[in-house]
PDB file of all heavy atoms in Angstrom:
ATOM      1  N   ASP A 763       0.832  -1.207   0.000  1.00 98.00           N
ATOM      2  CA  ASP A 763       0.000  -0.002  -0.003  1.00 98.00           C
ATOM      3  C   ASP A 763       0.868   1.253  -0.002  1.00 98.00           C
ATOM      4  O   ASP A 763       0.639   2.186  -0.775  1.00 98.00           O
ATOM      5  CB  ASP A 763      -0.915   0.023   1.221  1.00 98.00           C
ATOM      6  CG  ASP A 763      -2.050  -0.991   1.153  1.00 98.00           C
ATOM      7  OD1 ASP A 763      -2.319  -1.479   0.038  1.00 98.00           O
ATOM      8  OD2 ASP A 763      -2.632  -1.295   2.194  1.00 98.00           O
ATOM      9  N   VAL A 764       1.865   1.265   0.899  1.00 98.00           N
ATOM     10  CA  VAL A 764       2.680   2.492   0.986  1.00 98.00           C
ATOM     11  C   VAL A 764       3.640   2.583  -0.196  1.00 98.00           C
ATOM     12  O   VAL A 764       4.000   3.690  -0.620  1.00 98.00           O
ATOM     13  CB  VAL A 764       3.438   2.561   2.333  1.00 98.00           C
ATOM     14  CG1 VAL A 764       2.469   2.680   3.493  1.00 98.00           C
ATOM     15  CG2 VAL A 764       4.389   1.406   2.523  1.00 98.00           C
ATOM     16  N   ALA A 765       4.056   1.441  -0.750  1.00 98.00           N
ATOM     17  CA  ALA A 765       4.895   1.480  -1.959  1.00 98.00           C
ATOM     18  C   ALA A 765       4.117   2.103  -3.123  1.00 98.00           C
ATOM     19  O   ALA A 765       4.655   2.916  -3.876  1.00 98.00           O
ATOM     20  CB  ALA A 765       5.377   0.080  -2.307  1.00 98.00           C
ATOM     21  N   ALA A 766       2.855   1.718  -3.257  1.00 98.00           N
ATOM     22  CA  ALA A 766       2.016   2.303  -4.307  1.00 98.00           C
ATOM     23  C   ALA A 766       1.776   3.790  -4.034  1.00 98.00           C
ATOM     24  O   ALA A 766       1.755   4.606  -4.975  1.00 98.00           O
ATOM     25  CB  ALA A 766       0.687   1.558  -4.397  1.00 98.00           C
ATOM     26  N   LYS A 767       1.598   4.132  -2.759  1.00 98.00           N
ATOM     27  CA  LYS A 767       1.421   5.537  -2.391  1.00 98.00           C
ATOM     28  C   LYS A 767       2.652   6.347  -2.755  1.00 98.00           C
ATOM     29  O   LYS A 767       2.561   7.460  -3.302  1.00 98.00           O
ATOM     30  CB  LYS A 767       1.139   5.643  -0.896  1.00 98.00           C
ATOM     31  CG  LYS A 767       0.861   7.057  -0.399  1.00 98.00           C
ATOM     32  CD  LYS A 767      -0.454   7.566  -0.922  1.00 98.00           C
ATOM     33  CE  LYS A 767      -0.802   8.917  -0.327  1.00 98.00           C
ATOM     34  NZ  LYS A 767      -2.071   9.446  -0.889  1.00 98.00           N
ATOM     35  N   LYS A 768       3.818   5.796  -2.479  1.00 98.00           N
ATOM     36  CA  LYS A 768       5.069   6.488  -2.816  1.00 98.00           C
ATOM     37  C   LYS A 768       5.174   6.694  -4.334  1.00 98.00           C
ATOM     38  O   LYS A 768       5.576   7.771  -4.798  1.00 98.00           O
ATOM     39  CB  LYS A 768       6.264   5.704  -2.307  1.00 98.00           C
ATOM     40  CG  LYS A 768       7.611   6.376  -2.567  1.00 98.00           C
ATOM     41  CD  LYS A 768       8.755   5.566  -2.002  1.00 98.00           C
ATOM     42  CE  LYS A 768      10.077   6.315  -2.093  1.00 98.00           C
ATOM     43  NZ  LYS A 768      10.418   6.718  -3.459  1.00 98.00           N
ATOM     44  N   ALA A 769       4.819   5.674  -5.104  1.00 98.00           N
ATOM     45  CA  ALA A 769       4.909   5.799  -6.555  1.00 98.00           C
ATOM     46  C   ALA A 769       4.004   6.913  -7.053  1.00 98.00           C
ATOM     47  O   ALA A 769       4.366   7.696  -7.952  1.00 98.00           O
ATOM     48  CB  ALA A 769       4.534   4.473  -7.203  1.00 98.00           C
ATOM     49  N   LYS A 770       2.807   7.003  -6.480  1.00 97.00           N
ATOM     50  CA  LYS A 770       1.863   8.057  -6.875  1.00 97.00           C
ATOM     51  C   LYS A 770       2.410   9.442  -6.521  1.00 97.00           C
ATOM     52  O   LYS A 770       2.361  10.380  -7.312  1.00 97.00           O
ATOM     53  CB  LYS A 770       0.508   7.838  -6.192  1.00 97.00           C
ATOM     54  CG  LYS A 770      -0.568   8.833  -6.604  1.00 97.00           C
ATOM     55  CD  LYS A 770      -1.869   8.542  -5.882  1.00 97.00           C
ATOM     56  CE  LYS A 770      -2.976   9.531  -6.246  1.00 97.00           C
ATOM     57  NZ  LYS A 770      -3.438   9.371  -7.633  1.00 97.00           N
ATOM     58  N   MET A 771       2.928   9.565  -5.291  1.00 98.00           N
ATOM     59  CA  MET A 771       3.465  10.844  -4.840  1.00 98.00           C
ATOM     60  C   MET A 771       4.684  11.244  -5.687  1.00 98.00           C
ATOM     61  O   MET A 771       4.841  12.416  -6.062  1.00 98.00           O
ATOM     62  CB  MET A 771       3.847  10.777  -3.360  1.00 98.00           C
ATOM     63  CG  MET A 771       2.696  10.475  -2.422  1.00 98.00           C
ATOM     64  SD  MET A 771       1.452  11.762  -2.315  1.00 98.00           S
ATOM     65  CE  MET A 771       2.331  13.011  -1.386  1.00 98.00           C
ATOM     66  N   ASP A 772       5.537  10.274  -5.991  1.00 98.00           N
ATOM     67  CA  ASP A 772       6.721  10.553  -6.808  1.00 98.00           C
ATOM     68  C   ASP A 772       6.330  11.046  -8.203  1.00 98.00           C
ATOM     69  O   ASP A 772       6.987  11.924  -8.776  1.00 98.00           O
ATOM     70  CB  ASP A 772       7.589   9.305  -6.935  1.00 98.00           C
ATOM     71  CG  ASP A 772       8.341   8.983  -5.652  1.00 98.00           C
ATOM     72  OD1 ASP A 772       8.371   9.853  -4.742  1.00 98.00           O
ATOM     73  OD2 ASP A 772       8.883   7.864  -5.537  1.00 98.00           O
ATOM     74  N   ALA A 773       5.263  10.491  -8.739  1.00 98.00           N
ATOM     75  CA  ALA A 773       4.816  10.908 -10.070  1.00 98.00           C
ATOM     76  C   ALA A 773       4.352  12.369 -10.051  1.00 98.00           C
ATOM     77  O   ALA A 773       4.625  13.132 -10.978  1.00 98.00           O
ATOM     78  CB  ALA A 773       3.688   9.996 -10.561  1.00 98.00           C
ATOM     79  N   VAL A 774       3.655  12.744  -8.977  1.00 98.00           N
ATOM     80  CA  VAL A 774       3.209  14.136  -8.868  1.00 98.00           C
ATOM     81  C   VAL A 774       4.407  15.051  -8.639  1.00 98.00           C
ATOM     82  O   VAL A 774       4.509  16.149  -9.206  1.00 98.00           O
ATOM     83  CB  VAL A 774       2.168  14.290  -7.740  1.00 98.00           C
ATOM     84  CG1 VAL A 774       1.778  15.746  -7.563  1.00 98.00           C
ATOM     85  CG2 VAL A 774       0.934  13.447  -8.048  1.00 98.00           C
ATOM     86  N   LEU A 775       5.338  14.619  -7.792  1.00 98.00           N
ATOM     87  CA  LEU A 775       6.552  15.414  -7.542  1.00 98.00           C
ATOM     88  C   LEU A 775       7.319  15.675  -8.830  1.00 98.00           C
ATOM     89  O   LEU A 775       7.864  16.771  -9.042  1.00 98.00           O
ATOM     90  CB  LEU A 775       7.461  14.697  -6.545  1.00 98.00           C
ATOM     91  CG  LEU A 775       7.035  14.740  -5.078  1.00 98.00           C
ATOM     92  CD1 LEU A 775       7.844  13.739  -4.261  1.00 98.00           C
ATOM     93  CD2 LEU A 775       7.199  16.139  -4.502  1.00 98.00           C
ATOM     94  N   ALA A 776       7.368  14.670  -9.692  1.00 98.00           N
ATOM     95  CA  ALA A 776       8.125  14.813 -10.946  1.00 98.00           C
ATOM     96  C   ALA A 776       7.543  15.880 -11.844  1.00 98.00           C
ATOM     97  O   ALA A 776       8.258  16.444 -12.684  1.00 98.00           O
ATOM     98  CB  ALA A 776       8.149  13.473 -11.672  1.00 98.00           C
ATOM     99  N   ALA A 777       6.257  16.198 -11.655  1.00 97.00           N
ATOM    100  CA  ALA A 777       5.612  17.206 -12.499  1.00 97.00           C
ATOM    101  C   ALA A 777       5.712  18.609 -11.899  1.00 97.00           C
ATOM    102  O   ALA A 777       5.291  19.579 -12.551  1.00 97.00           O
ATOM    103  CB  ALA A 777       4.148  16.829 -12.716  1.00 97.00           C
ATOM    104  N   LEU A 778       6.257  18.733 -10.678  1.00 97.00           N
ATOM    105  CA  LEU A 778       6.415  20.035 -10.065  1.00 97.00           C
ATOM    106  C   LEU A 778       7.670  20.709 -10.566  1.00 97.00           C
ATOM    107  O   LEU A 778       8.532  20.091 -11.202  1.00 97.00           O
ATOM    108  CB  LEU A 778       6.492  19.897  -8.534  1.00 97.00           C
ATOM    109  CG  LEU A 778       5.289  19.271  -7.824  1.00 97.00           C
ATOM    110  CD1 LEU A 778       5.552  19.231  -6.320  1.00 97.00           C
ATOM    111  CD2 LEU A 778       4.007  20.041  -8.122  1.00 97.00           C
ATOM    112  N   THR A 779       7.815  21.990 -10.271  1.00 97.00           N
ATOM    113  CA  THR A 779       9.073  22.668 -10.584  1.00 97.00           C
ATOM    114  C   THR A 779      10.163  22.109  -9.684  1.00 97.00           C
ATOM    115  O   THR A 779       9.884  21.516  -8.633  1.00 97.00           O
ATOM    116  CB  THR A 779       8.959  24.178 -10.356  1.00 97.00           C
ATOM    117  OG1 THR A 779       8.785  24.424  -8.940  1.00 97.00           O
ATOM    118  CG2 THR A 779       7.771  24.776 -11.133  1.00 97.00           C
ATOM    119  N   GLU A 780      11.398  22.304 -10.078  1.00 96.00           N
ATOM    120  CA  GLU A 780      12.525  21.790  -9.284  1.00 96.00           C
ATOM    121  C   GLU A 780      12.500  22.373  -7.872  1.00 96.00           C
ATOM    122  O   GLU A 780      12.733  21.665  -6.882  1.00 96.00           O
ATOM    123  CB  GLU A 780      13.845  22.132  -9.966  1.00 96.00           C
ATOM    124  CG  GLU A 780      15.062  21.566  -9.246  1.00 96.00           C
ATOM    125  CD  GLU A 780      16.368  21.871  -9.964  1.00 96.00           C
ATOM    126  OE1 GLU A 780      16.311  22.408 -11.109  1.00 96.00           O
ATOM    127  OE2 GLU A 780      17.434  21.606  -9.393  1.00 96.00           O
ATOM    128  N   GLU A 781      12.168  23.666  -7.764  1.00 96.00           N
ATOM    129  CA  GLU A 781      12.132  24.307  -6.457  1.00 96.00           C
ATOM    130  C   GLU A 781      11.014  23.719  -5.592  1.00 96.00           C
ATOM    131  O   GLU A 781      11.198  23.473  -4.392  1.00 96.00           O
ATOM    132  CB  GLU A 781      11.904  25.814  -6.623  1.00 96.00           C
ATOM    133  CG  GLU A 781      11.899  26.590  -5.319  1.00 96.00           C
ATOM    134  CD  GLU A 781      11.685  28.079  -5.523  1.00 96.00           C
ATOM    135  OE1 GLU A 781      11.608  28.519  -6.693  1.00 96.00           O
ATOM    136  OE2 GLU A 781      11.596  28.810  -4.517  1.00 96.00           O
ATOM    137  N   GLN A 782       9.846  23.491  -6.184  1.00 97.00           N
ATOM    138  CA  GLN A 782       8.729  22.927  -5.435  1.00 97.00           C
ATOM    139  C   GLN A 782       9.039  21.509  -4.970  1.00 97.00           C
ATOM    140  O   GLN A 782       8.750  21.139  -3.827  1.00 97.00           O
ATOM    141  CB  GLN A 782       7.463  22.926  -6.300  1.00 97.00           C
ATOM    142  CG  GLN A 782       6.883  24.308  -6.557  1.00 97.00           C
ATOM    143  CD  GLN A 782       5.787  24.288  -7.604  1.00 97.00           C
ATOM    144  OE1 GLN A 782       5.743  23.410  -8.471  1.00 97.00           O
ATOM    145  NE2 GLN A 782       4.894  25.263  -7.564  1.00 97.00           N
ATOM    146  N   ALA A 783       9.615  20.706  -5.856  1.00 97.00           N
ATOM    147  CA  ALA A 783       9.931  19.332  -5.499  1.00 97.00           C
ATOM    148  C   ALA A 783      11.021  19.258  -4.438  1.00 97.00           C
ATOM    149  O   ALA A 783      11.005  18.382  -3.559  1.00 97.00           O
ATOM    150  CB  ALA A 783      10.352  18.574  -6.749  1.00 97.00           C
ATOM    151  N   GLN A 784      11.972  20.180  -4.501  1.00 97.00           N
ATOM    152  CA  GLN A 784      13.102  20.168  -3.562  1.00 97.00           C
ATOM    153  C   GLN A 784      12.631  20.326  -2.115  1.00 97.00           C
ATOM    154  O   GLN A 784      13.232  19.789  -1.196  1.00 97.00           O
ATOM    155  CB  GLN A 784      14.078  21.293  -3.917  1.00 97.00           C
ATOM    156  CG  GLN A 784      15.389  21.255  -3.143  1.00 97.00           C
ATOM    157  CD  GLN A 784      16.217  20.008  -3.445  1.00 97.00           C
ATOM    158  OE1 GLN A 784      16.133  19.454  -4.533  1.00 97.00           O
ATOM    159  NE2 GLN A 784      17.018  19.579  -2.493  1.00 97.00           N
ATOM    160  N   GLN A 785      11.525  21.046  -1.933  1.00 96.00           N
ATOM    161  CA  GLN A 785      10.994  21.250  -0.576  1.00 96.00           C
ATOM    162  C   GLN A 785      10.675  19.934   0.120  1.00 96.00           C
ATOM    163  O   GLN A 785      10.731  19.835   1.350  1.00 96.00           O
ATOM    164  CB  GLN A 785       9.720  22.110  -0.648  1.00 96.00           C
ATOM    165  CG  GLN A 785       8.998  22.232   0.694  1.00 96.00           C
ATOM    166  CD  GLN A 785       7.656  22.953   0.568  1.00 96.00           C
ATOM    167  OE1 GLN A 785       7.495  23.828  -0.287  1.00 96.00           O
ATOM    168  NE2 GLN A 785       6.699  22.575   1.399  1.00 96.00           N
ATOM    169  N   TRP A 786      10.361  18.903  -0.675  1.00 98.00           N
ATOM    170  CA  TRP A 786       9.885  17.656  -0.086  1.00 98.00           C
ATOM    171  C   TRP A 786      10.968  16.586   0.069  1.00 98.00           C
ATOM    172  O   TRP A 786      10.682  15.477   0.524  1.00 98.00           O
ATOM    173  CB  TRP A 786       8.719  17.100  -0.927  1.00 98.00           C
ATOM    174  CG  TRP A 786       7.568  18.037  -0.835  1.00 98.00           C
ATOM    175  CD1 TRP A 786       7.128  18.922  -1.789  1.00 98.00           C
ATOM    176  CD2 TRP A 786       6.752  18.246   0.310  1.00 98.00           C
ATOM    177  NE1 TRP A 786       6.064  19.657  -1.295  1.00 98.00           N
ATOM    178  CE2 TRP A 786       5.807  19.252  -0.013  1.00 98.00           C
ATOM    179  CE3 TRP A 786       6.700  17.654   1.570  1.00 98.00           C
ATOM    180  CZ2 TRP A 786       4.848  19.692   0.887  1.00 98.00           C
ATOM    181  CZ3 TRP A 786       5.739  18.109   2.479  1.00 98.00           C
ATOM    182  CH2 TRP A 786       4.834  19.103   2.120  1.00 98.00           C
TER     183      TRP A 786
END
């Protein structure tokens, strides 16, 4: 469950700006 959650979050992070993603 959490592995799938991580994959989903990573996909959204990849679409953010570098500065926005760096915060996380």
Side-chain angles (χ1 to χ4, degrees):
D763 288 343
V764 296
K767 183 69 175 177
K768 182 178 188 303
K770 183 180 180 69
M771 299 294 288
D772 287 348
V774 176
L775 284 168
L778 299 181
T779 67
E780 183 178 353
E781 182 180 357
Q782 290 170 334
Q784 189 64 29
Q785 173 186 328
W786 295 105

